[in-house]
Amino acid sequence: MVNRVVCRHHVSSQRRGAGRALRAYLVIAALSSASTARALAPDKPPTDCRIDVWSNRDGLPGAWVRGLVQGPQGHLWIGTYGGVARYDGSRVRRVPEGGPPIDVSGVAGAADGTIVIASGRDLLCVQGSGLVSCAPSSELAEDERISAISTGADGHVWIGTNHRVLRLVKDRLLPHRPELALPFDRVTVLHRDRSGRLWVGGPTGLVVDDGKGYRLVQGRGTVGAGLGSAILMGAGLGSPLGTGAPAAAAVHAIHETAAGHLWILTDHQLLRFEAGELVAWYNEARAFRGVNSRMVEDRDGNLWITTAGGLIRLRAGQFQTFGQKDGLPDDDVTAILEDREGSLWVGTRNGLAQLSDRTLATQVGPPGLRDQPVEAVAESSDGTFWFGSYRGLTRWKYGVERLYTQDDGLPINQVYALAPGEGDELFIGTRFGLVRWRHGRIEPTVLHPERIMTLLREPAGRLWIGTAEGVFRRDGDQTTPIVTEGFVPGQIRGIELDPAGGIWVSGSGGLGRVQGDRLRPAVPDGSPGARAGRGIRRDEGGTLWMAEGTQLVGMKDGVAKVYGKEQGIDLDWVCQILPDDFGSLWIATMNRIARVSRAELAAVAAGKAARVNAIAFDSTDRRQEPSAQRARTAGAWKARDGRLWFATLRGVVTIDPRRVRINLLPPTVVIEGVTVDGRTVSTEGSGQFAPGAGRVELQFAAISLVEPNQVRARYMLEGLDDRWTEAGARR
């Protein structure tokens, strides 16, 4: 998958003595290979996500994050107790660079793209690479301090102070309802909803302006089942101010969902305002403690709440809390944002974390095998997973892990191959022979004494055994050697059923086929597939897929087709191939795992297309390369639920084909600086400069906050260049 966006910047110069004008337009294309992240899986805890952390060492002007907002060009703006920073996916930059410390209390983004910073009595706007005053401080009283800032549904930035509510319009702070007084001495939170109502929270309650002036939200509300009384200042819109006293409940956060529900967070209650009533969703003393609470709804409908005791997720009526033990920098969570690419950004008192999901997951299998080389994987009919490694045989069921070794009956701890039988039966191939697990234990009898490399059990019960020397067939208790004719298969790496009858066998010597008791070459020497020795798999359509070095080979009805670089398969050494239930092949190599459509492969084979679109994933949720270097078919398995399992040098990698994380949002290209003969010139306007210039350098950003290391760029000067210059990762 290639994402692309083009940015044009006009560069004009007059050549001395040439008698003509030279005009060129810079075109920069940012190309991103398939990013392995999208939105977080709705039912996936942050502990199963990739978590990247930033601190002062990474450029943050302060560890305590007080506000987060994403700008129109994709930058992440970070307000901290210490200053303002901007992150473009490449690095964190302080704004302004080298500026004095600033105590940021909040950050907001206006509809026109302006980034607004609140700090004490000051309201600052980002301009270029610096900060300027948004409005004269004289518009605030001497004792007035900014205590809340937010962007309303109307696109304006709203300001709350210890006196009143104001709205930023251009370079003016316009008071809202100056004729009316608020019932509390400080605004803690405010929200302008899509209906035009303004909600204002304070240390002792909540008011709303629905066009008729401030009204208390009062009365008694609807109570959720088993939650007790739901009282904030009650529920429903009460009479105008002055006719009732607010209840003593501090309001810390207000959030409007995509469905139009309004969530309200107090010290110890989470309430939802709908149909004119407040519904209590959660009552627990000190559950939501902390004055820096925020709320955000992600694109899957989960509600995330920041508290001094951790990050809380509300999903399907259930609350889960995550904190420092789960990988966050601190338990005191102070800011939160879901960016346009689906990552969740979590600010704390001790740093910033990015939570992003990955197609290649490592957290599903047994913890004892993480970072350990795995040789084989299989699933029994009862849902038990089995893993072979040099440590022994690992059983994984219902989250319980158990390792079996020589002490439990294995002939040696080196387990190379696995084949489930009936019920709890499992055939186990080791370096010193074949044994069987049955009735809850490893039986002591060695069924076949050679080094077992791969196993296949037919549905009828016949077992095929691949060793370092050849192929054997086991019927009941009788084992028959398969005679080789016409070629030397070498070490057996894969065995697969042939729906037309017979058995396919791949080895270090190439591809063969068993018919009767004879193993012969499957295709003439020199033909496509003759040297295919890895990853042999058959899909439900009857096509046999295998690897020939770095190339993919598909064989059906005796005809083989090779797919390499010219056909879009540009991969390193292919080790494993698995078809999923959704029409794709997954190809595991020494450094990545790629997905390719079988329909696209068929179109190339039929001459209807020239190339396929292979999407490569090269990073797991633990920032590791998926080193799937196991060439035997025992190293990959498709589970009954459709999930794919690959054995690697660093544990097991799993893929859920139903939730592939592909970022379809193109990187944004922004020209950030221009120098002409070493002098900085403005990037505003047309970018024209005087004649006689010798060297022009442009600094730009290709902004993607998900897998920014995968973004590559190229550029050309239209009017001068006739081809692209590959910039790679240079900016």
Side-chain angles (χ1 to χ4, degrees):
M1 174 68 66
V2 176
N3 298 332
R4 175 172 170 176
V5 66
V6 176
C7 174
R8 297 177 185 271
H9 189 77
H10 174 206
V11 182
S12 177
S13 177
Q14 178 74 36
R15 282 184 175 174
R16 287 183 176 176
R20 64 184 179 89
L22 170 64
R23 291 179 181 271
Y25 292 84
L26 176 72
V27 184
I28 304 174
L31 306 101
S32 176
S33 58
S35 173
T36 57
R38 199 182 57 183
L40 301 183
D43 56 350
K44 196 171 187 177
T47 49
D48 287 353
C49 297
R50 172 169 166 172
I51 302 179
D52 295 286
V53 175
W54 285 260
S55 66
N56 299 71
R57 295 189 300 271
D58 304 297
L60 289 182
W64 183 1
V65 179
R66 309 286 290 274
L68 297 167
V69 69
Q70 189 166 25
Q73 294 175 326
H75 296 97
L76 180 69
W77 293 89
I78 309 158
T80 74
Y81 185 67
V84 182
R86 184 185 69 185
Y87 177 58
D88 62 6
S90 177
R91 64 174 177 149
V92 177
R93 301 184 186 186
R94 183 170 184 155
V95 179
E97 291 191 25
I102 302 172
D103 179 9
V104 176
S105 58
V107 184
D112 63 0
T114 303
I115 305 299
V116 184
I117 312 295
S119 175
R121 297 185 70 249
D122 296 323
L123 201 63
L124 306 172
C125 290
V126 175
Q127 187 176 92
S129 58
L131 301 175
V132 298
S133 176
C134 294
S137 58
S138 59
E139 296 191 5
L140 298 179
E142 289 187 4
D143 64 340
E144 197 167 9
R145 296 290 185 273
I146 298 171
S147 56
I149 181 172
S150 70
T151 304
D154 56 4
H156 290 294
V157 173
W158 291 80
I159 310 296
T161 73
N162 52 328
H163 289 318
R164 54 185 173 160
V165 175
L166 305 103
R167 180 166 52 104
L168 179 63
V169 179
K170 294 184 178 178
D171 58 350
R172 295 294 308 278
L173 286 174
L174 303 182
H176 181 76
R177 300 288 187 188
E179 73 281 5
L180 299 177
L182 292 169
F184 28 75
D185 60 5
R186 178 171 58 91
V187 175
T188 57
V189 63
L190 40 81
H191 175 75
R192 176 82 167 193
D193 68 21
R194 293 193 293 272
S195 299
R197 295 175 297 191
L198 180 67
W199 301 79
V200 185
T204 55
L206 177 70
V207 299
V208 62
D209 179 5
D210 58 354
K212 302 175 183 178
Y214 292 130
R215 295 171 179 266
L216 291 170
V217 180
Q218 61 181 2
R220 186 172 295 276
T222 302
V223 179
L227 293 176
S229 298
I231 302 176
L232 175 64
M233 288 176 295
L237 301 184
S239 56
L241 294 184
T243 61
V251 180
H252 296 308
I254 302 172
H255 178 74
E256 185 177 11
T257 70
H261 299 308
L262 202 71
W263 291 98
I264 299 162
L265 186 72
T266 73
D267 279 323
H268 53 81
Q269 280 188 316
L270 176 65
L271 307 108
R272 194 168 80 179
F273 188 85
E274 51 183 307
E277 292 186 323
L278 278 174
V279 179
W281 277 72
Y282 196 61
N283 287 332
E284 183 176 317
R286 299 181 62 81
F288 301 115
R289 64 188 184 278
V291 297
N292 297 297
S293 296
R294 302 288 187 270
M295 288 189 287
V296 68
E297 180 192 38
D298 67 25
R299 61 194 66 191
D300 287 311
N302 296 315
L303 186 70
W304 298 84
I305 307 166
T306 71
T307 76
L311 176 65
I312 296 176
R313 181 178 70 179
L314 172 60
R315 170 173 168 77
Q318 301 295 317
F319 289 86
Q320 287 181 287
T321 302
F322 310 99
Q324 192 170 12
K325 63 179 175 55
D326 302 304
L328 297 181
D330 199 277
D331 285 333
D332 193 348
V333 184
T334 54
I336 192 164
L337 168 78
E338 185 187 40
D339 70 25
R340 63 185 65 177
E341 294 169 294
S343 291
L344 197 69
W345 294 85
V346 181
T348 74
R349 276 184 179 261
N350 194 34
L352 175 67
Q354 180 190 20
L355 279 63
S356 53
D357 206 354
R358 290 296 184 268
T359 294
L360 310 185
T362 62
Q363 311 291 334
V364 179
L369 288 179
R370 289 173 193 164
D371 297 320
Q372 300 295 321
V374 179
E375 297 287 328
V377 55
E379 181 190 21
S380 297
S381 59
D382 64 353
T384 301
F385 276 92
W386 301 90
F387 304 91
S389 70
Y390 276 31
R391 300 170 64 234
L393 175 68
T394 299
R395 186 173 185 260
W396 174 251
K397 187 174 184 180
Y398 304 134
V400 178
E401 178 181 359
R402 171 73 158 89
L403 177 65
Y404 298 89
T405 66
Q406 287 178 271
D407 294 338
D408 303 291
L410 287 178
I412 191 172
N413 288 342
Q414 296 174 355
V415 177
Y416 290 153
L418 301 167
E422 294 183 357
D424 74 339
E425 184 181 45
L426 178 74
F427 293 95
I428 307 161
T430 76
R431 183 180 178 185
F432 286 174
L434 175 70
V435 293
R436 178 166 51 190
W437 166 285
R438 192 163 55 174
H439 306 315
R441 69 186 184 93
I442 299 171
E443 296 177 340
T445 304
V446 175
L447 304 178
H448 191 79
E450 294 187 61
R451 180 164 59 168
I452 311 299
M453 307 308 298
T454 189
L455 295 168
L456 173 71
R457 184 180 181 275
E458 295 185 49
R462 181 182 292 175
L463 183 69
W464 292 87
I465 306 167
T467 73
E469 305 297 333
V471 180
F472 298 82
R473 183 181 65 230
R474 183 176 177 84
D475 293 285
D477 294 331
Q478 183 178 356
T479 301
T480 303
I482 303 301
V483 179
T484 301
E485 290 184 355
F487 86 123
V488 179
Q491 185 184 94
I492 303 302
R493 293 170 173 169
I495 304 175
E496 185 63 286
L497 290 173
D498 184 351
I503 296 291
W504 296 101
V505 175
S506 67
S508 55
L511 180 67
R513 191 163 179 264
V514 176
Q515 289 183 304
D517 292 332
R518 295 291 186 268
L519 173 59
R520 301 181 176 92
V523 293
D525 193 27
S527 301
R531 304 300 298 173
R534 295 168 177 251
I536 179 172
R537 296 284 176 174
R538 178 177 55 86
D539 65 24
E540 69 275 9
T543 300
L544 187 71
W545 299 99
M546 49 206 151
E548 202 167 36
T550 61
Q551 299 182 117
L552 177 68
V553 179
M555 181 181 293
K556 187 174 183 180
D557 300 328
V559 179
K561 173 66 178 178
V562 178
Y563 305 86
K565 285 186 178 182
E566 292 183 359
Q567 292 77 32
I569 304 295
D570 188 8
L571 301 171
D572 46 52
W573 204 260
V574 177
C575 298
Q576 296 289 346
I577 301 169
L578 275 183
D580 65 17
D581 294 329
F582 304 95
S584 293
L585 284 183
W586 291 83
I587 306 169
T589 76
M590 297 178 72
N591 296 301
R592 67 191 68 187
I593 297 177
R595 186 187 74 173
V596 61
S597 164
R598 282 181 273 164
E600 291 183 11
L601 290 166
V604 171
K608 298 178 180 179
R611 293 172 60 86
V612 297
N613 181 26
I615 303 175
F617 304 89
D618 59 6
S619 176
T620 71
D621 51 14
R622 302 179 69 210
R623 308 174 186 87
Q624 295 175 340
E625 291 181 344
S627 303
Q629 297 187 24
R630 298 296 177 244
R632 291 169 282 104
T633 52
W637 188 271
K638 184 174 77 172
R640 294 181 302 157
D641 63 1
R643 187 173 297 184
L644 310 180
W645 295 72
F646 290 95
T648 80
L649 293 181
R650 299 189 183 98
V652 182
V653 169
T654 60
I655 298 167
D656 186 347
R658 296 164 297 185
R659 287 195 64 87
V660 176
R661 314 318 239 196
I662 299 178
N663 178 25
L664 298 177
L665 191 67
T668 304
V669 177
V670 180
I671 294 179
E672 297 188 323
V674 179
T675 61
V676 179
D677 290 336
R679 294 179 295 104
T680 300
V681 300
S682 173
T683 59
E684 303 296 326
S686 66
Q688 296 184 2
F689 47 86
R695 178 179 175 82
V696 181
E697 182 178 288
L698 298 102
Q699 298 87 38
F700 65 93
I703 302 171
S704 173
L705 304 185
V706 179
E707 297 283 18
N709 60 306
Q710 290 193 7
V711 177
R712 295 293 181 265
R714 59 186 183 179
Y715 60 85
M716 68 169 9
L717 283 172
E718 289 185 345
L720 283 180
D721 299 333
D722 59 0
R723 67 187 63 184
W724 291 98
T725 297
E726 298 294 335
R730 291 184 296 113
R731 300 291 179 262

